[in-house]
């Protein structure tokens, strides 16, 4: 495979905050098996910019050492002519130990994957963590996989999204969704993971949009299971969307399938949003804008004083599908699904363009087992 990369250093510096470090490259892997120092195979560091001209494996110490002088900006760009995916894989822990506020940004032309068992943490000062996928145009997709990972920003913000760039809480982030065009995939997968921000805001935006065929089993914009998100005073925004062709599709899927799910704040607002649409031809399955299920283990969405807003939009046009919901909530156990704010407002807003066309086509549907307090709001 032939690789080439043109680096316009002046433009790159304008993209990064003062005294920051940038990493540009193709198929970048962060691993303890990677190279250290100021240069290596297909990469070199000069004047605070780490340039990568081909597939590179970089030791995490290259990043953690750079925190001493400023923020770290990791960017993977396509080769000249495009047409080949450029991904980032993080397979080793990244630990920030300094006391000043720092930002760590991973910007990938396509997907970003953090391996199971890996942690990105700060032990002292706040660390903003930004995962920006799908920033390229050919191919123009990129999903974010955070399965079995631990993230602790210690007061810093966390954002996982994609597409074009925008400003958010003083950070340059993806303005759109992290997205996949494939079958049986999620734009963002957050399974078996823990995210703690201790006052920092949380933002996740994922989309699944498959157009190739309709025989895939489960397509989700965001898929959450066996996970914990705690923000303290920080706001939590979870946005998922599903479009295109599939059998079963959910915009935002929160499910206690293999273990508990906890999403909590103290005073921060919690916003959970899901949207769904489809196109012909699709296999006949179930689909919802937002689906929250205590199927095998409890699901808890709670705040002390923050508001909780859950919004689900269904515009599934395929008339052969008879199970479509704006918001779907289910529980199979006592105290299984809990949506509670001690003093904040709670809003559940569902809409469905096919409402009343069938028993299972609703704007808002509760499906508890015949057990006391299966669903508590």
């Amino acid at each position: 495979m032939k690789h080439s990369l043109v680096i316009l250093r002046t433009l790159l510096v304008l993209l990064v905050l003062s005294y920051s470090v940038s990493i540009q490259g193709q198929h970048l892997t962060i691993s303890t098996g990677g190279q250290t120092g100021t240069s290596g195979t297909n990469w070199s560091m000069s004047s605070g910019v780490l340039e990568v001209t081909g597939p590179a494996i970089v030791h995490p110490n290259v990043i953690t050492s750079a925190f001493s002088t400023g923020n770290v900006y990791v960017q993977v760009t396509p080769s000249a002519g495009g047409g080949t995916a450029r991904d980032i894989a993080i397979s080793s822990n990244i630990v920030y130990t300094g006391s000043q506020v720092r930002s760590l940004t991973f910007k990938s032309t396509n997907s970003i994957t953090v391996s199971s068992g890996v942690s990105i943490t700060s032990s002292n000062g706040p660390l903003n963590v930004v995962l920006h996928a799908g920033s390229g145009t050919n191919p123009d997709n990129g999903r974010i996989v955070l399965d079995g990972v631990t993230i602790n920003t210690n007061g810093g913000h966390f954002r996982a999204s994609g597409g074009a760039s925008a400003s958010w809480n003083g950070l340059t982030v993806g303005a759109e969704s992290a997205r996949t065009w494939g079958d049986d995939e999620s734009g963002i997968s957050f399974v078996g993971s823990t995210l703690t921000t201790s006052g920092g805001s949380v933002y996740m935006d994922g989309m699944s949009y498959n157009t190739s065929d309709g025989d895939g089993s489960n397509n989700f914009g965001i898929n959450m299971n066996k996970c914990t998100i705690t923000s303290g005073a920080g706001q939590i925004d979870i946005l998922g969307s599903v479009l295109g062709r599939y059998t079963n599709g959910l915009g935002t899927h929160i499910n206690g399938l293999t273990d508990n799910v906890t999403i909590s704040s103290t005073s921060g607002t919690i916003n959970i949003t899901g949207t769904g649409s489809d196109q012909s031809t699709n296999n006949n399955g179930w689909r919802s804008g937002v689906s929250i299920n205590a199927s095998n283990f409890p699901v808890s969405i709670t705040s002390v004083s923050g508001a909780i807003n859950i919004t689900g939009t269904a515009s599934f046009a395929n008339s052969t599908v008879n199970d479509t919901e704006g918001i779907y909530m289910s529980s199979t156990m006592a105290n299984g699904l809990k949506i509670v704010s001690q003093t904040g407002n709670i809003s559940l807003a569902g809409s469905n363009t096919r409402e009343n066309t069938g028993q299972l086509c609703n704007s808002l549907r509760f499906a508890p087992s015949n057990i006391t307090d299966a669903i508590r709001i």
Side-chain angles (χ1 to χ4, degrees), residues 46-301:
S46 175
S47 302
V49 176
L50 181 60
E51 300 176 357
V52 180
T53 59
I57 303 177
V58 178
H59 197 285
N61 286 351
V62 175
I63 292 176
T64 55
S65 297
F67 282 134
S68 63
T69 57
N71 301 318
V72 179
Y73 194 96
V74 179
Q75 177 171 290
V76 171
T77 58
S79 61
T84 302
R86 300 287 182 251
D87 301 328
I88 294 177
I90 305 170
S91 58
S92 296
N93 297 341
I94 298 174
V95 181
Y96 171 54
T97 60
S99 59
Q100 295 178 304
V101 179
R102 290 287 185 260
S103 296
L104 172 61
T105 300
F106 289 96
K107 182 180 181 182
S108 177
T109 303
N110 301 113
S111 296
I112 300 173
T113 300
V114 182
S115 299
S116 179
V118 167
S119 62
I120 301 175
T121 60
S122 174
S123 60
N124 196 0
L127 176 66
N128 301 309
V129 177
V130 175
L131 305 179
H132 182 175
S135 63
T137 58
N138 184 20
D140 60 351
N141 63 297
R143 57 196 298 249
I144 297 176
V145 180
L146 302 169
D147 293 345
V149 306
T150 299
I151 300 173
N152 188 337
T153 67
N154 200 26
H157 303 300
F158 174 84
R159 178 152 175 149
S161 55
S165 296
S167 180
W168 175 78
N169 285 320
L171 304 168
T172 300
V173 300
E176 303 163 326
S177 304
R179 52 200 182 274
T180 176
W181 308 147
D183 266 346
D184 298 323
E185 289 185 340
S186 304
I188 295 178
S189 181
F190 192 77
V191 177
S193 299
T194 299
L195 169 60
T196 305
T197 63
S198 301
S201 294
V202 174
Y203 192 102
M204 297 185 183
D205 188 348
M207 178 176 69
S208 170
Y209 195 164
N210 175 45
T211 58
S212 60
D213 59 61
D215 62 3
S217 296
N218 301 312
N219 282 26
F220 307 135
I222 290 183
N223 183 35
M224 293 185 171
N225 167 36
K226 189 183 177 182
C227 61
T228 298
I229 299 175
T230 57
S231 68
Q235 180 167 309
I236 299 175
D237 290 283
I238 299 171
L239 303 87
S241 57
V242 61
L243 306 91
R245 303 171 64 186
Y246 44 83
T247 301
N248 304 312
L250 304 172
T252 296
H253 184 217
I254 302 173
N255 189 10
L257 180 63
T258 59
D259 210 331
N260 296 11
V261 175
T262 299
I263 301 172
S264 65
S265 72
T266 54
S267 59
T269 298
I270 300 175
N271 299 311
I272 298 174
T273 303
T275 61
S277 65
D278 56 15
Q279 65 187 60
S280 297
T281 55
N282 270 326
N283 287 358
N284 192 337
W286 36 259
R287 51 205 61 181
S288 300
V290 172
S291 180
I292 305 176
N293 312 303
S295 54
N296 295 317
F297 293 87
V299 174
S300 174
I301 302 171

Side-chain angles (χ1 to χ4, degrees), residues 8 22 26 32 49 60 67 85 171 181 213-214 231-232 251 256 261 272 298 308 321 341-342 345:
L8 300 176
S22 299
Q26 308 166 51
T32 53
V49 176
F67 282 134
L171 304 168
W181 308 147
D213 59 61
S231 68
V261 175
I272 298 174
I308 299 176
V321 176
S341 180
Q342 293 181 26
N345 295 328

Side-chain angles (χ1 to χ4, degrees), residues 318-341:
N318 193 332
S319 61
T320 64
V321 176
N322 57 14
D323 190 344
T324 72
E325 316 287 353
I327 297 175
Y328 174 77
M329 296 183 179
S330 70
S331 173
T332 62
M333 66 201 76
N335 296 311
L337 174 55
K338 180 170 64 174
I339 301 173
V340 175
S341 180

